[in-house]
Amino acid sequence: MDNIDDILAEVSGGDTIPQEARDLRELCRAWVAERVAPEILPYPGQLMERVMERIRAQIVKVEQQTGDMDPRTSFGVIVLQTELERFKFLVRSFLRARIVKVGPQSVSTVSARRLRTYQIDKYALHILSTPSLSGRLAPEERRYAVSHQQLLHAHYLGSFLRDFPEQLRRLDDAAGGISMVETPDLESAVFCRVLRDVAAPGLGLRDEEGELPRWSRGDVHVLRYAMIRDMVLDGDVELI
């Protein structure tokens, strides 16, 4: 069985691994991280462009070969369709995990249970009003978030806000030191795997020589997301 170093080296990819295989692994890692992270993560634009281009090319190839009665070709089409559906599933799931952090979606009961930790429909205004977070959105996601907030505000205004005094109609009111804008719980616990040797975050612990402890590549830890937030964004650790 491969040890953790072999697994991490394989996940990280290399020149000997085809680009398609590396993209698939990167997409899987992005999907898992997005589902685990309490906040929205940076959109992997270049990766998604390559994946979507490959999906489009695969669809064209399948359509061209569909209808061929040669059993060998027909089996090849089945393999292509299976691979295509795998990529499409990952893309849909990845984008859905991001969208539920931007605005409410109609999801099945099973999906709702799985996505419960994302606190669906609470973060759109927070993301749009925070430049560091809004910059993580793809252009399409940003347009969706803006449109969603406009529709939501128009609905609330037409339903009941118009009966309120003008000063009470804001959805981002922070009167009395209490903000109406919902924010993700960055103190929630997450599992992470160390991708390269790095100093451990400030846990208030030191060794016998007074030095901060270090994490080694392949270590797995569970702790509050806020403590490793910068490490996740820098690529020192990955969420699992």
PDB file of all heavy atoms in Angstrom, residues 194 196 198-201 215 227-238:
ATOM      1  N   VAL A 194      -1.541  18.423   5.932  1.00  0.00           N
ATOM      2  CA  VAL A 194      -0.398  19.295   5.663  1.00  0.00           C
ATOM      3  C   VAL A 194       0.232  18.896   4.328  1.00  0.00           C
ATOM      4  O   VAL A 194       0.551  17.719   4.106  1.00  0.00           O
ATOM      5  CB  VAL A 194       0.639  19.203   6.793  1.00  0.00           C
ATOM      6  CG1 VAL A 194       1.803  20.154   6.531  1.00  0.00           C
ATOM      7  CG2 VAL A 194      -0.016  19.507   8.136  1.00  0.00           C
ATOM      8  N   ARG A 196       3.020  20.653   2.983  1.00  0.00           N
ATOM      9  CA  ARG A 196       4.469  20.869   3.072  1.00  0.00           C
ATOM     10  C   ARG A 196       4.825  21.255   4.505  1.00  0.00           C
ATOM     11  O   ARG A 196       3.988  21.770   5.239  1.00  0.00           O
ATOM     12  CB  ARG A 196       4.927  21.945   2.088  1.00  0.00           C
ATOM     13  CG  ARG A 196       4.149  23.249   2.114  1.00  0.00           C
ATOM     14  CD  ARG A 196       4.750  24.279   1.178  1.00  0.00           C
ATOM     15  NE  ARG A 196       3.913  25.453   1.035  1.00  0.00           N
ATOM     16  CZ  ARG A 196       3.158  25.701  -0.033  1.00  0.00           C
ATOM     17  NH1 ARG A 196       3.150  24.859  -1.039  1.00  0.00           N
ATOM     18  NH2 ARG A 196       2.426  26.804  -0.102  1.00  0.00           N
ATOM     19  N   VAL A 198       5.671  23.067   7.638  1.00  0.00           N
ATOM     20  CA  VAL A 198       5.325  24.442   7.949  1.00  0.00           C
ATOM     21  C   VAL A 198       5.195  24.603   9.457  1.00  0.00           C
ATOM     22  O   VAL A 198       4.921  23.635  10.180  1.00  0.00           O
ATOM     23  CB  VAL A 198       3.994  24.823   7.247  1.00  0.00           C
ATOM     24  CG1 VAL A 198       2.837  24.010   7.818  1.00  0.00           C
ATOM     25  CG2 VAL A 198       3.702  26.310   7.350  1.00  0.00           C
ATOM     26  N   ALA A 199       5.418  25.825   9.930  1.00  0.00           N
ATOM     27  CA  ALA A 199       5.235  26.108  11.359  1.00  0.00           C
ATOM     28  C   ALA A 199       3.758  25.984  11.708  1.00  0.00           C
ATOM     29  O   ALA A 199       2.892  26.449  10.972  1.00  0.00           O
ATOM     30  CB  ALA A 199       5.752  27.499  11.689  1.00  0.00           C
ATOM     31  N   ALA A 200       3.486  25.355  12.830  1.00  0.00           N
ATOM     32  CA  ALA A 200       2.104  25.193  13.278  1.00  0.00           C
ATOM     33  C   ALA A 200       1.507  26.552  13.621  1.00  0.00           C
ATOM     34  O   ALA A 200       2.225  27.469  14.036  1.00  0.00           O
ATOM     35  CB  ALA A 200       2.049  24.275  14.484  1.00  0.00           C
ATOM     36  N   PRO A 201       0.199  26.710  13.432  1.00  0.00           N
ATOM     37  CA  PRO A 201      -0.439  27.984  13.785  1.00  0.00           C
ATOM     38  C   PRO A 201      -0.356  28.232  15.277  1.00  0.00           C
ATOM     39  O   PRO A 201      -0.037  27.328  16.062  1.00  0.00           O
ATOM     40  CB  PRO A 201      -1.884  27.789  13.316  1.00  0.00           C
ATOM     41  CG  PRO A 201      -2.092  26.308  13.334  1.00  0.00           C
ATOM     42  CD  PRO A 201      -0.766  25.711  12.933  1.00  0.00           C
ATOM     43  N   TRP A 215       4.595  21.429  11.704  1.00  0.00           N
ATOM     44  CA  TRP A 215       3.829  20.350  11.101  1.00  0.00           C
ATOM     45  C   TRP A 215       4.625  19.762   9.946  1.00  0.00           C
ATOM     46  O   TRP A 215       5.272  20.500   9.194  1.00  0.00           O
ATOM     47  CB  TRP A 215       2.494  20.875  10.586  1.00  0.00           C
ATOM     48  CG  TRP A 215       1.503  21.160  11.667  1.00  0.00           C
ATOM     49  CD1 TRP A 215       1.619  20.856  12.981  1.00  0.00           C
ATOM     50  CD2 TRP A 215       0.232  21.789  11.509  1.00  0.00           C
ATOM     51  NE1 TRP A 215       0.502  21.264  13.666  1.00  0.00           N
ATOM     52  CE2 TRP A 215      -0.364  21.839  12.786  1.00  0.00           C
ATOM     53  CE3 TRP A 215      -0.450  22.314  10.431  1.00  0.00           C
ATOM     54  CZ2 TRP A 215      -1.621  22.389  12.995  1.00  0.00           C
ATOM     55  CZ3 TRP A 215      -1.702  22.866  10.629  1.00  0.00           C
ATOM     56  CH2 TRP A 215      -2.286  22.904  11.909  1.00  0.00           C
ATOM     57  N   MET A 227      -7.975  29.238  12.555  1.00  0.00           N
ATOM     58  CA  MET A 227      -6.564  29.097  12.885  1.00  0.00           C
ATOM     59  C   MET A 227      -5.726  28.732  11.657  1.00  0.00           C
ATOM     60  O   MET A 227      -4.526  29.017  11.613  1.00  0.00           O
ATOM     61  CB  MET A 227      -6.381  28.050  13.982  1.00  0.00           C
ATOM     62  CG  MET A 227      -7.090  28.384  15.281  1.00  0.00           C
ATOM     63  SD  MET A 227      -6.687  27.241  16.614  1.00  0.00           S
ATOM     64  CE  MET A 227      -4.956  27.588  16.828  1.00  0.00           C
ATOM     65  N   ILE A 228      -6.344  28.068  10.674  1.00  0.00           N
ATOM     66  CA  ILE A 228      -5.582  27.636   9.496  1.00  0.00           C
ATOM     67  C   ILE A 228      -6.078  28.326   8.227  1.00  0.00           C
ATOM     68  O   ILE A 228      -5.699  27.929   7.126  1.00  0.00           O
ATOM     69  CB  ILE A 228      -5.677  26.111   9.316  1.00  0.00           C
ATOM     70  CG1 ILE A 228      -7.151  25.690   9.141  1.00  0.00           C
ATOM     71  CG2 ILE A 228      -5.031  25.390  10.482  1.00  0.00           C
ATOM     72  CD1 ILE A 228      -7.300  24.268   8.670  1.00  0.00           C
ATOM     73  N   ARG A 229      -6.895  29.348   8.394  1.00  0.00           N
ATOM     74  CA  ARG A 229      -7.474  30.022   7.228  1.00  0.00           C
ATOM     75  C   ARG A 229      -6.402  30.489   6.251  1.00  0.00           C
ATOM     76  O   ARG A 229      -6.477  30.212   5.052  1.00  0.00           O
ATOM     77  CB  ARG A 229      -8.322  31.210   7.696  1.00  0.00           C
ATOM     78  CG  ARG A 229      -9.056  31.935   6.591  1.00  0.00           C
ATOM     79  CD  ARG A 229      -9.753  33.160   7.150  1.00  0.00           C
ATOM     80  NE  ARG A 229     -10.619  33.786   6.188  1.00  0.00           N
ATOM     81  CZ  ARG A 229     -11.209  34.956   6.380  1.00  0.00           C
ATOM     82  NH1 ARG A 229     -11.024  35.604   7.523  1.00  0.00           N
ATOM     83  NH2 ARG A 229     -11.987  35.482   5.443  1.00  0.00           N
ATOM     84  N   ASP A 230      -5.389  31.208   6.751  1.00  0.00           N
ATOM     85  CA  ASP A 230      -4.325  31.705   5.874  1.00  0.00           C
ATOM     86  C   ASP A 230      -3.519  30.562   5.270  1.00  0.00           C
ATOM     87  O   ASP A 230      -3.069  30.648   4.122  1.00  0.00           O
ATOM     88  CB  ASP A 230      -3.404  32.647   6.645  1.00  0.00           C
ATOM     89  CG  ASP A 230      -4.090  33.943   7.044  1.00  0.00           C
ATOM     90  OD1 ASP A 230      -5.092  34.290   6.387  1.00  0.00           O
ATOM     91  OD2 ASP A 230      -3.635  34.597   8.004  1.00  0.00           O
ATOM     92  N   MET A 231      -3.340  29.502   6.028  1.00  0.00           N
ATOM     93  CA  MET A 231      -2.578  28.358   5.532  1.00  0.00           C
ATOM     94  C   MET A 231      -3.315  27.658   4.400  1.00  0.00           C
ATOM     95  O   MET A 231      -2.696  27.151   3.454  1.00  0.00           O
ATOM     96  CB  MET A 231      -2.294  27.383   6.673  1.00  0.00           C
ATOM     97  CG  MET A 231      -1.503  27.998   7.823  1.00  0.00           C
ATOM     98  SD  MET A 231      -1.327  26.901   9.246  1.00  0.00           S
ATOM     99  CE  MET A 231      -0.182  25.697   8.585  1.00  0.00           C
ATOM    100  N   VAL A 232      -4.642  27.628   4.486  1.00  0.00           N
ATOM    101  CA  VAL A 232      -5.445  27.046   3.403  1.00  0.00           C
ATOM    102  C   VAL A 232      -5.309  27.887   2.138  1.00  0.00           C
ATOM    103  O   VAL A 232      -5.096  27.363   1.033  1.00  0.00           O
ATOM    104  CB  VAL A 232      -6.923  26.939   3.826  1.00  0.00           C
ATOM    105  CG1 VAL A 232      -7.800  26.548   2.633  1.00  0.00           C
ATOM    106  CG2 VAL A 232      -7.092  25.918   4.952  1.00  0.00           C
ATOM    107  N   LEU A 233      -5.428  29.193   2.286  1.00  0.00           N
ATOM    108  CA  LEU A 233      -5.356  30.075   1.137  1.00  0.00           C
ATOM    109  C   LEU A 233      -3.952  30.098   0.521  1.00  0.00           C
ATOM    110  O   LEU A 233      -3.800  30.295  -0.692  1.00  0.00           O
ATOM    111  CB  LEU A 233      -5.756  31.505   1.537  1.00  0.00           C
ATOM    112  CG  LEU A 233      -7.190  31.655   2.056  1.00  0.00           C
ATOM    113  CD1 LEU A 233      -7.455  33.092   2.486  1.00  0.00           C
ATOM    114  CD2 LEU A 233      -8.199  31.251   0.972  1.00  0.00           C
ATOM    115  N   ASP A 234      -2.912  29.886   1.351  1.00  0.00           N
ATOM    116  CA  ASP A 234      -1.540  29.862   0.860  1.00  0.00           C
ATOM    117  C   ASP A 234      -1.140  28.514   0.280  1.00  0.00           C
ATOM    118  O   ASP A 234      -0.062  28.397  -0.312  1.00  0.00           O
ATOM    119  CB  ASP A 234      -0.568  30.237   1.987  1.00  0.00           C
ATOM    120  CG  ASP A 234      -0.701  31.689   2.405  1.00  0.00           C
ATOM    121  OD1 ASP A 234      -1.231  32.496   1.609  1.00  0.00           O
ATOM    122  OD2 ASP A 234      -0.290  32.023   3.550  1.00  0.00           O
ATOM    123  N   GLY A 235      -1.993  27.496   0.475  1.00  0.00           N
ATOM    124  CA  GLY A 235      -1.668  26.184  -0.067  1.00  0.00           C
ATOM    125  C   GLY A 235      -0.768  25.343   0.824  1.00  0.00           C
ATOM    126  O   GLY A 235      -0.222  24.335   0.379  1.00  0.00           O
ATOM    127  N   ASP A 236      -0.575  25.757   2.076  1.00  0.00           N
ATOM    128  CA  ASP A 236       0.253  24.975   2.997  1.00  0.00           C
ATOM    129  C   ASP A 236      -0.485  23.730   3.486  1.00  0.00           C
ATOM    130  O   ASP A 236       0.133  22.705   3.771  1.00  0.00           O
ATOM    131  CB  ASP A 236       0.661  25.814   4.203  1.00  0.00           C
ATOM    132  CG  ASP A 236       1.598  26.963   3.818  1.00  0.00           C
ATOM    133  OD1 ASP A 236       2.365  26.774   2.848  1.00  0.00           O
ATOM    134  OD2 ASP A 236       1.551  28.016   4.462  1.00  0.00           O
ATOM    135  N   VAL A 237      -1.797  23.844   3.606  1.00  0.00           N
ATOM    136  CA  VAL A 237      -2.618  22.701   4.019  1.00  0.00           C
ATOM    137  C   VAL A 237      -3.839  22.635   3.098  1.00  0.00           C
ATOM    138  O   VAL A 237      -4.185  23.612   2.439  1.00  0.00           O
ATOM    139  CB  VAL A 237      -3.077  22.819   5.493  1.00  0.00           C
ATOM    140  CG1 VAL A 237      -1.901  22.945   6.429  1.00  0.00           C
ATOM    141  CG2 VAL A 237      -4.034  23.997   5.674  1.00  0.00           C
ATOM    142  N   GLU A 238      -4.473  21.489   3.075  1.00  0.00           N
ATOM    143  CA  GLU A 238      -5.715  21.339   2.324  1.00  0.00           C
ATOM    144  C   GLU A 238      -6.782  20.758   3.233  1.00  0.00           C
ATOM    145  O   GLU A 238      -6.481  19.985   4.148  1.00  0.00           O
ATOM    146  CB  GLU A 238      -5.525  20.451   1.100  1.00  0.00           C
ATOM    147  CG  GLU A 238      -5.238  18.987   1.413  1.00  0.00           C
ATOM    148  CD  GLU A 238      -5.199  18.130   0.168  1.00  0.00           C
ATOM    149  OE1 GLU A 238      -5.651  18.591  -0.899  1.00  0.00           O
ATOM    150  OE2 GLU A 238      -4.724  16.976   0.272  1.00  0.00           O
TER     151      GLU A 238
END
